[in-house]
């Protein structure tokens, strides 16, 4: 049990911190996403109105697809800037565009998945469509599009976190190891009252312990 605790909450504590930070940014991004969606929905045509048919299918590109994509682009830019300066702290170590384009690519991949899910939630012939009786669009809280967008965000966000951690910010963190772990295992162990093992004479002579000088070496 102790080893499991150390494995999850000590050795991988930095991953939990990154996930919490990413989640906090994500929450703010959800608000930005939904606020943008509300604004463009109010300014544009009816969200369920068809724009153009999808060749070879019975489906149409509708205005809610456009609204969702606009909301995604605004929230994606918001999330990127916060993740760059706070979550992964790479703003001083990489050019803005060099990090943004993979972040945008990951987001666009998630958006494509999200649009498919959004269509299934909104299309009345879909087996998982949201009930138009309960969500009859009579008020903001009963608008199907808003709830469908929330579900899409909840599904896509974990995938985006993993891909961004492994790709978007990975190259920068690889060249700056201090960015990879916002916590320090030694500090964590010390906080829990555990003492780090003393280095052996062989370790001292080999210089295996940074920051310590062996007078005999």
């Amino acid at each position: 049990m102790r080893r499991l605790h150390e494995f999850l909450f000590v050795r991988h504590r930095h991953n939990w911190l990154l996930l919490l930070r990413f989640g906090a940014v994500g929450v703010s991004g959800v608000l930005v996403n939904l606020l943008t969606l509300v604004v463009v929905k109010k300014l544009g045509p009816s969200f369920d109105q068809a724009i153009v048919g999808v060749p070879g299918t019975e489906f149409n590109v509708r205005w809610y697809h456009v609204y969702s994509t606009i909301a995604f682009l605004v929230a994606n830019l918001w999330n990127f800037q916060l993740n760059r300066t706070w979550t992964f702290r790479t703003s001083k170590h990489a050019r803005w565009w060099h990090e943004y384009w993979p972040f945008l690519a990951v987001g666009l991949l998630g958006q494509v998945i999200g649009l498919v899910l959004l269509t299934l939630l909104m299309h009345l012939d879909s087996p998982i469509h949201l009930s138009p009786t309960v969500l009859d669009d009579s008020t903001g809280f009963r608008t199907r599009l808003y709830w469908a967008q929330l579900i899409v965000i909840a599904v896509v966000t974990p995938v985006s976190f993993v891909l961004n951690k492994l790709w978007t910010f990975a190259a920068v963190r690889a060249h700056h190891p201090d960015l990879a772990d916002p916590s320090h295992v030694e500090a964590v162990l010390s906080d829990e009252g555990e003492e780090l093992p003393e280095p052996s004479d062989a370790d001292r002579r080999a210089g295996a312990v940074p920051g310590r000088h062996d007078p005999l070496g």
Side-chain angles (χ1 to χ4, degrees), residues 16-208:
W16 290 109
L17 290 176
L18 289 177
L19 180 59
L20 288 174
R21 288 179 180 178
F22 190 86
V25 172
V27 169
S28 68
V30 170
L31 297 178
V32 171
N33 191 309
L34 291 178
L35 180 60
T36 304
L37 187 67
V38 170
V39 172
V40 295
K41 173 182 173 295
K42 289 184 178 297
L43 294 177
S46 172
F47 66 82
D48 208 28
Q49 181 178 328
I51 303 175
V52 63
V54 178
T57 72
E58 297 181 355
F59 292 95
N60 296 286
V61 174
R62 300 181 183 275
W63 278 105
Y64 66 74
H65 295 115
V66 176
Y67 298 159
S68 175
T69 301
I70 294 174
F72 151 75
L73 291 172
V74 174
N76 180 262
L77 183 59
W78 170 275
N79 287 352
F80 169 75
Q81 194 59 42
L82 286 182
N83 280 320
R84 175 176 160 85
T85 57
W86 184 52
T87 305
F88 299 104
R89 297 180 178 178
T90 59
S91 58
K92 296 180 180 179
H93 304 280
R95 294 181 179 179
W96 190 89
W97 177 249
H98 286 176
E99 282 193 318
Y100 181 61
W101 82 261
F103 188 86
L104 178 62
V106 168
L108 288 173
L109 176 61
Q111 178 64 9
V112 170
I113 297 173
L115 287 176
V116 173
L117 178 57
L118 185 68
T119 302
L120 293 175
L121 292 171
M122 295 292 293
H123 201 286
L124 297 181
D125 292 333
S126 167
I128 62 171
H129 74 271
L130 299 180
S131 171
T133 302
V134 177
L135 301 175
D136 57 6
D137 303 327
S138 59
T139 65
F141 286 105
R142 299 184 70 173
T143 300
R144 283 192 305 141
L145 178 58
Y146 298 161
W147 287 103
Q149 185 79 345
L150 273 175
I151 294 172
V152 167
I153 293 171
V155 171
V156 171
T157 295
V159 177
S160 297
F161 168 73
V162 173
L163 292 178
N164 279 309
K165 184 178 185 298
L166 294 179
W167 182 33
T168 306
F169 302 100
V172 177
R173 298 200 324 273
H175 290 87
H176 300 275
D178 56 305
L179 299 175
D181 188 352
S183 66
H184 299 283
V185 174
E186 293 83 0
V188 175
L189 292 175
S190 177
D191 290 341
E192 293 186 353
E194 297 183 15
E195 296 183 0
L196 295 174
E198 285 295 323
S200 65
D201 291 339
D203 289 335
R204 291 194 182 95
R205 284 193 292 271

